[in-house]
Amino acid sequence: MIFIKAFIVGGLICVIGQIILDKTKITMARILVLLVVLGVILQAIGVFPFLREFAGAGATVPLLGFGAALAEGTKEIIDKDGAIGIFTGPLTSGAGGIAIAIISALVMAVLTKPKAK
């Protein structure tokens, strides 16, 4: 059942992004930023933990999950180290995802032949 929940929630997040892209003049980059900020907001008001518990990877893998992870890491570091956590928290909590993105891009660049458009 968790797979169905993850598929539905993750799919709805993607559908919302696609509708925004199709119906407005907002660029893809701005939609990505919007989803990350929405994840931060949902984490800040306490809604995202319930969404994560309900949908698992359907909520954490899309960009909402990245934003929530940034907010959660920042809050933990602020509680531990004080105001300096505002700067170090997002870097600490997002380091794994950012590193995987960079390594994946490097591997794909080596394995494929990128073409300029």
Side-chain angles (χ1 to χ4, degrees):
M1 190 65 184
I2 188 67
F3 296 116
I4 294 170
K5 291 178 185 178
F7 179 78
I8 291 171
V9 172
L12 285 174
I13 293 168
C14 294
V15 165
I16 291 168
Q18 189 65 48
I19 290 171
I20 293 170
L21 182 63
D22 291 344
K23 300 293 182 186
T24 66
K25 294 183 179 184
I26 299 175
T27 63
M28 280 191 254
R30 290 185 178 175
I31 293 170
L32 297 176
V33 170
L34 177 71
L35 289 173
V36 172
V37 170
L38 183 60
V40 170
I41 292 169
L42 291 175
Q43 179 68 30
I45 62 175
V47 172
F48 194 80
F50 297 109
L51 187 62
R52 178 179 34 220
E53 185 179 323
F54 174 76
T60 59
V61 172
L63 289 168
L64 288 177
F66 183 67
L70 292 177
E72 187 176 359
T74 302
K75 183 181 180 300
E76 288 174 6
I77 300 295
I78 288 174
D79 291 343
K80 180 180 158 197
D81 296 338
I84 194 71
I86 295 170
F87 303 106
T88 61
L91 296 174
T92 304
S93 63
I98 294 168
I100 290 296
I102 292 170
I103 292 168
S104 299
L106 176 65
V107 168
M108 292 309 294
V110 169
L111 295 177
T112 63
K113 230 180 194 178
K115 297 177 186 175
K117 289 188 175 188

